[in-house]
Amino acid sequence: MPDNVDIEPTETETTPDLWISVDQVIAFHGLKPQHLNISKTDTDADPKLSAIITEWIVQAQDLINVYTNRNYTSETVRPAVKNVCLRLTGNMVSLAIQKRDNPIIKVNDWTIQNVPSDIFTDDLRDDLKPFIKDSSNEPNSIGVYAITGEDVLL
């Protein structure tokens, strides 16, 4: 194959289905690129910051979907769940800044510890309790086995 042939990537990038916007997270947290060690003079500062926040929003949405046993989309998500997503993403931002600035905290004269990494706090879980889908009432497939130990197809 000649060296000057461009090969197109096989995967196309898709825009994730975000419940909240990057701008909402920036406004909520007062976040600036330099808070995450992105230089103000960097010409790609805003796209880099947006990419980081977008990834955190996607991760927060997945944590919420798993916790509530649901699969929300931007069209089906409730405003209260969006609020939890915003706060959860804000917790991710705060943790990243804390770990960057000082990953160790002094508890008393003799004890030091790492900054706790719990971002999905009890108050967020409490706010999501009304939205948890109980999957115990959903019909499940039932397996039947013959006495001989052979599988029986229904």
Side-chain angles (χ1 to χ4, degrees), residues 13-89:
E13 283 191 37
T14 59
T15 305
D17 181 32
L18 301 179
W19 307 342
I20 58 174
S21 71
V22 170
D23 290 337
Q24 286 175 311
V25 175
I26 290 171
F28 178 73
H29 205 281
L31 188 61
K32 296 180 179 154
Q34 56 269 29
H35 290 148
L36 298 175
N37 277 350
I38 301 172
S39 174
K40 284 172 44 173
T41 59
D42 190 345
T43 57
D44 292 341
D46 288 338
K48 284 181 182 177
L49 182 62
S50 291
I52 291 169
I53 294 172
T54 298
E55 181 64 27
W56 287 339
I57 292 171
V58 169
Q59 292 170 0
Q61 290 177 181
D62 191 50
L63 284 169
I64 291 169
N65 277 334
V66 168
Y67 183 73
T68 60
N69 298 314
R70 296 189 181 269
N71 194 17
Y72 287 113
T73 66
S74 58
E75 289 84 31
T76 62
V77 68
R78 305 269 310 254
V81 177
K82 286 182 183 182
N83 178 273
V84 171
C85 185
L86 179 63
R87 292 166 32 219
L88 180 56
T89 306

Side-chain angles (χ1 to χ4, degrees), residues 106-121:
K106 185 175 180 179
V107 177
N108 57 37
D109 289 338
W110 304 103
T111 307
I112 59 171
Q113 66 185 28
N114 290 328
V115 171
S117 62
D118 52 340
I119 54 168
F120 204 177
T121 55

Side-chain angles (χ1 to χ4, degrees), residues 86-144:
L86 179 63
R87 292 166 32 219
L88 180 56
T89 306
N91 288 351
M92 291 179 181
V93 170
S94 295
L95 179 63
I97 292 170
Q98 286 176 344
K99 286 208 174 264
R100 181 196 64 133
D101 289 345
N102 190 7
I104 298 175
I105 55 176
K106 185 175 180 179
V107 177
N108 57 37
D109 289 338
W110 304 103
T111 307
I112 59 171
Q113 66 185 28
N114 290 328
V115 171
S117 62
D118 52 340
I119 54 168
F120 204 177
T121 55
D122 289 340
D123 61 322
L124 298 178
R125 291 176 199 271
D126 289 344
D127 289 348
L128 287 174
K129 279 184 183 173
F131 306 103
I132 294 175
K133 182 179 177 183
D134 183 11
S135 60
S136 64
N137 294 334
E138 293 183 10
N140 295 321
S141 60
I142 298 173
V144 178

